[in-house]
Amino acid sequence: MIVLRTLAVLVGLLVAGVAFMPMRFVMDVSGARKAGLTTGDISGTIWKAQLSDVAWRGTDLGDFNVAMKPAGLSRNLLRMHFSSTGMVRYGGVSLSGGALAFDSMQGRAPLSLLVRGAPSSGTLTYANGSLTLTQSGCTQAAGQVNVDGLGAYGVPPLQGLASCENGELVLSLAPTEGGPGGRIAIGLSQERSGTVTASAEDPRLSAALSMMGVPAQ
C-alpha cells in the first residue's frame, strides 16, 4: 500500500508538472523556430496560452489563442488548436522536428498577402484548409479557395482548390460562373519564399495577373 500511494503521489506530481509547463518552454523545444515560426510575447501554460505577433518567415499571422492536450507532446509532436486575429481565424497546428502542419483551417486574407500587386479589394477566403511546411517548402496542401474583389480587372469571382507541387503552394482557380480558369503558384521554400508565377486560360484572368506583375509560368 505504501508503495502504491508513493507511486500515486509521484504520478500526480508528474501530471501537475506537465499541466503547468509554460508554453514558452514548449515552443522552444518543439522545433517551432526551426520551422520558421516566430512570436512576440507568450503567456500561459501547455493547457491554454496566448501568443502575440505570430509570424511565419516574416508574414504576419496575428495574435493566437492556443489550447492543447498534454498527449499532443507524445512522439516529439506538439499538437495545438487555435483561434487568431489574423488571416487564419481558427484551425489546428502540429509541430514535429522542422515540419509545421496546419489543418482544419478557415480564414480570410487580403489577396495582396500572396500576390503583392493585387488591389486592396482583392480577397482570399478558404475553408477546410490544410498546409504542411518544411524548409524545402510546401509538402502537402488541400482545401477550398475563393478569390473575389477583382471586378475592376473584369475578373468574376473565382473558386478552386489548393495543392502542392514541387514545394510550391498551387491555387487552381476557375470562375464560379463556369469556364476556363488558371493557376497561381507561390514559392514557400527558403530559397523561393514569396515568389509567384501563374498561368491562365481565361484571358481576363491572364490580363489581370499580368497587370498585377505576376510572371507567366
Side-chain angles (χ1 to χ4, degrees), residues 2-215:
I2 295 176
V3 173
L4 291 176
R5 289 176 180 174
T6 302
L7 287 175
V9 171
L10 291 175
V11 169
L13 290 173
L14 178 60
V15 171
V18 172
F20 291 101
M21 184 183 298
M23 181 58 77
R24 179 177 294 279
F25 172 77
V26 174
M27 292 293 290
D28 287 341
V29 301
S30 67
R33 314 300 182 195
K34 185 178 179 181
L37 198 68
T38 59
T39 65
D41 292 334
I42 301 176
S43 61
T45 67
I46 190 174
W47 290 107
K48 189 175 182 180
Q50 294 76 45
L51 286 68
S52 66
D53 301 324
V54 179
W56 183 74
R57 294 183 184 169
T59 299
D60 181 27
L61 299 179
D63 299 331
F64 278 55
N65 291 312
V66 301
M68 66 173 293
K69 295 180 180 179
L73 283 172
S74 63
R75 299 186 301 276
N76 193 33
L77 173 69
L78 173 63
R79 166 79 180 160
M80 299 182 291
H81 296 279
F82 67 86
S83 61
S84 84
T85 60
M87 59 177 288
V88 186
R89 295 305 171 89
Y90 61 83
V93 60
S94 300
L95 287 161
S96 181
L100 182 65
F102 292 94
D103 63 81
S104 305
M105 292 189 297
Q106 184 162 324
R108 179 184 179 94
L111 184 59
S112 58
L113 190 67
L114 298 178
V115 182
R116 293 179 182 175
S120 58
S121 58
T123 59
L124 171 72
T125 58
Y126 49 90
N128 301 318
S130 63
L131 177 65
T132 301
L133 301 167
T134 66
Q135 290 183 344
S136 59
C138 174
T139 60
Q140 183 277 332
Q144 293 82 45
V145 181
N146 291 80
V147 174
D148 203 351
L150 300 180
Y153 292 97
V155 176
L158 305 170
Q159 63 182 5
L161 299 172
S163 62
C164 280
E165 293 182 18
N166 301 317
E168 296 180 321
L169 173 63
V170 177
L171 306 180
S172 299
L173 301 165
T176 56
E177 63 191 25
R183 46 184 273 151
I184 301 173
I186 302 103
L188 296 178
S189 66
Q190 287 186 329
E191 296 78 15
R192 292 178 50 80
S193 183
T195 59
V196 180
T197 57
S199 61
E201 297 177 5
D202 186 326
R204 299 168 298 179
L205 181 57
S206 179
L209 290 167
S210 177
M211 286 187 282
M212 292 180 208
V214 178

